[in-house]
Amino acid sequence: MNPSLQAVRGMNDILPDEAAFWELFEDTIRSWLKSYGYRPIRMPIVEPTPLFKRAIGEVTDIVEKEMYSFIDGLNGEALTLRPEGTAGCVRAVIEHNLAARQTQRLYYIGQMFRHERPQKGRYRQFHQVGVESFGMVGPDIDAEMILMGARLWNDLGLDGIDLQLNSLGQPEERAQHRAALITYFEENAELLDEEAKRRLHTNPLRILDTKNPAMQDLCAAAPKLIDYLGAESLAHFEGVQRVLRDAGIPFKINPRLVRGLDYYNLTVFEWVTDKLGAQGTVCAGGRYDGLVEQLGGKPTPACGFAMGIERLIALIKDAGGEPAAPAPDVYLVHQGEAASRSAFLVAEGLRDQGVDVLLHCGGGGFKSQMKKADSSGAGFAVIIGDDEAATGEAQLKVLRGEGIEQRKLKVDDLAEAIIGQIIDSDEEE
Ligand code: ATP
Ligand code: MG
């Protein structure tokens, strides 16, 4: 294939076998979210570029080097493919006044885009489940969001996902810590890498988020934000931990957990596994009380998290999770002109009664159609020739499981026979 016509690097097709995992995952996700009272919201994939700069922060990996930004050639607008969902969700909440008189619990599932180096668990188009709440000051909602994660890993049959927790305090507290950090890093200037030097005066907290192994010791010994938190911030943090302890959810406080986005305050958390190599964070989030106001809304406390679907699906596969092979109940075989006309009506009639039908299309003889029926995985073949069509009948052949192997039935009796037999064989299992 001409390379210029192939998929963009780091943006993957999800083929049917793989997509079956995704659908199963999404079913689990939706019922899990419903059980916590979350409602869906769907935002555009493209948003104005200034929205992300404002929300995520100018001096962050995402805004500095990962965004797919472009100018709309038709009207000159600066646009960006969303690199995350919170900014767009907050924009929508403000624009439609969703949080004015009530609290909101919202979720979305969809594509995100970041220009990163593609590798296992890291892609340029990837998918997130995003969960956001508005109007609740916490720490109860923060804690509930963390409990949600624990329940989901259980629902998905995953273990070995560990919880890391930190508090980023409030902006004033961070300012004091920031000053101390700058002093500390200035005193150790010879140990800083290029990126750290560049960020020293713009966003020193982000230096702690470095993935450079040579900087780990330096960062581990840096002044800790927790030592700068006031009584209220500490009480909030303690409140979150109390719920987790009551619920028996183990956690580790990681003072270096700062998150790659600027909008967080107070609670931040990550769920991390060591089963995915370097890309171990499957879920991350926290509180972002300042963001709604920062984007032009009325001050509204908020909290949220996002999960990377690719990483979770990889874990599910690792754990041996297998979606049920999607097979139709019936493969409908037909040959002859009258038979083909009847086949459409029979297929629609069966579907009316809840039977899944794969209608053979594309012609061919009985023998080749029966082969396709077999490999389709269907439980039954319904076979119509011109003889059957003339008398309003069809042959019902059992392809899988027990039962009378083949018999002729009135087409009106097909559905009942099929459903009856499906129920019988379910009971035997
Ligand atoms: P990382 O440290 O792995 O780059 P991040 O802090 O940039 O993650 P967030 O912005 O918090 O990630 O996004 C939430 C989740 O989305 C991550 O924990 C991860 O599971 C997933 N994720 C982020 N970037 C990618 C990517 N490029 N490809 C696949 N999944 C991703
Ligand atoms: Mg990242």
Side-chain angles (χ1 to χ4, degrees):
M1 186 177 184
N2 181 337
S4 65
L5 299 181
Q6 286 173 2
V8 176
R9 193 164 119 81
M11 304 202 185
N12 302 315
D13 296 310
I14 300 164
L15 303 179
D17 280 346
E18 172 83 7
F21 277 99
W22 286 65
E23 297 215 329
L24 196 72
F25 174 82
E26 287 169 7
D27 288 347
T28 307
I29 290 293
R30 291 202 168 90
S31 61
W32 162 72
L33 286 161
K34 191 165 155 282
S35 79
Y36 284 90
Y38 280 80
R39 298 199 304 154
I41 181 167
R42 298 181 182 221
M43 299 86 63
I45 283 176
V46 176
E47 297 275 1
T49 302
L51 174 70
F52 297 115
K53 291 193 173 170
R54 195 69 179 274
I56 299 168
E58 297 268 2
V59 192
T60 56
D61 279 349
I62 295 178
V63 170
E64 281 183 336
K65 51 193 186 200
E66 295 175 359
M67 294 211 301
Y68 283 93
S69 297
F70 57 97
I71 300 295
D72 181 336
L74 297 176
N75 62 7
E77 241 182 299
L79 301 177
T80 293
L81 300 186
R82 63 182 185 193
E84 55 95 62
T86 303
C89 185
V90 169
R91 178 201 52 68
V93 163
I94 298 170
E95 205 165 317
H96 304 286
N97 221 4
L98 294 187
R101 275 175 303 278
Q102 77 237 60
T103 59
Q104 289 283 356
R105 283 176 161 92
L106 304 173
Y107 79 88
Y108 45 84
I109 304 177
Q111 283 93 329
M112 306 295 158
F113 302 85
R114 297 183 193 177
H115 193 102
E116 303 194 69
R117 190 171 68 77
Q119 50 196 296
K120 185 174 181 251
R122 193 175 292 288
Y123 309 98
R124 290 180 175 174
Q125 176 186 261
F126 62 100
H127 297 73
Q128 286 182 340
V129 178
V131 177
E132 320 282 0
S133 75
F134 297 91
M136 291 163 267
V137 290
D140 44 6
I141 186 75
D142 317 32
E144 187 187 68
M145 286 193 162
I146 297 172
L147 295 190
M148 288 176 77
R151 175 174 299 279
L152 182 63
W153 316 142
N154 191 56
D155 288 354
L156 293 171
L158 299 175
D159 50 27
I161 304 181
D162 298 326
L163 175 60
Q164 298 194 359
L165 197 62
N166 193 19
S167 174
L168 297 183
Q170 298 294 11
E172 325 76 72
E173 295 156 350
R174 275 213 299 284
Q176 288 176 20
H177 172 245
R178 181 192 146 104
L181 258 190
I182 293 178
T183 309
Y184 170 79
F185 283 129
E186 276 174 347
E187 284 165 7
N188 293 282
E190 73 286 356
L191 298 173
L192 298 180
D193 64 11
E194 282 313 307
E195 188 176 78
K197 279 184 193 145
R198 202 161 41 77
R199 289 186 169 171
L200 181 55
H201 291 282
T202 49
N203 204 340
L205 194 63
R206 188 97 313 115
I207 298 177
L208 299 178
D209 199 27
T210 179
K211 295 190 167 85
N212 180 358
M215 300 254 306
Q216 299 306 312
D217 288 347
L218 179 68
C219 290
K224 295 190 174 37
L225 178 52
I226 191 137
D227 297 327
Y228 293 80
L229 299 190
E232 248 180 76
S233 294
L234 286 172
H236 189 108
F237 195 29
E238 180 47 39
V240 174
Q241 294 175 53
R242 192 181 316 120
V243 177
L244 298 179
R245 280 193 291 264
D246 286 350
I249 311 279
F251 59 89
K252 238 198 210 116
I253 294 177
N254 175 359
R256 287 183 48 199
L257 186 66
V258 296
R259 311 283 306 111
L261 306 90
D262 274 353
Y263 47 62
Y264 289 105
N265 69 314
L266 293 171
T267 317
V268 288
F269 62 92
E270 289 194 2
W271 289 96
V272 186
T273 171
D274 55 13
K275 291 180 186 158
L276 293 174
Q279 274 58 251
T281 304
V282 292
C283 175
R287 181 159 279 283
Y288 53 89
D289 292 327
L291 186 58
V292 177
E293 188 178 14
Q294 194 182 320
L295 294 180
K298 296 201 183 73
T300 307
C303 192
F305 64 89
M307 304 188 281
I309 301 185
E310 281 79 359
R311 294 182 193 180
L312 284 169
I313 300 258
L315 283 182
I316 293 169
K317 284 186 173 170
D318 243 29
E322 193 66 63
D329 299 316
V330 166
Y331 194 98
L332 209 160
V333 168
H334 55 93
Q335 194 187 17
E337 202 189 312
S340 298
R341 290 172 61 183
S342 152
F344 271 99
L345 299 179
V346 171
E348 291 299 336
L350 287 173
R351 293 185 190 113
D352 283 344
Q353 303 194 61
V355 177
D356 294 344
V357 183
L358 217 163
L359 172 68
H360 179 82
C361 289
F366 275 125
K367 215 170 144 199
S368 79
Q369 291 192 36
M370 283 308 294
K371 269 197 190 145
K372 294 201 165 95
D374 250 334
S375 59
S376 74
F380 303 86
V382 167
I383 305 159
I384 305 176
D386 281 341
D387 288 351
E388 283 84 5
T391 56
E393 292 173 302
Q395 304 278 348
L396 177 64
K397 184 172 164 51
V398 176
L399 298 176
R400 274 173 186 74
E402 310 280 302
I404 307 160
E405 206 195 322
Q406 184 162 342
R407 55 187 158 142
K408 205 181 216 183
L409 291 172
K410 284 278 172 203
V411 295
D412 288 343
D413 298 332
L414 277 171
E416 198 180 324
I418 291 166
I419 292 166
Q421 213 154 313
I422 293 175
I423 292 170
D424 277 355
S425 58
D426 279 355
E427 280 170 359
E428 270 157 38
E429 268 170 19

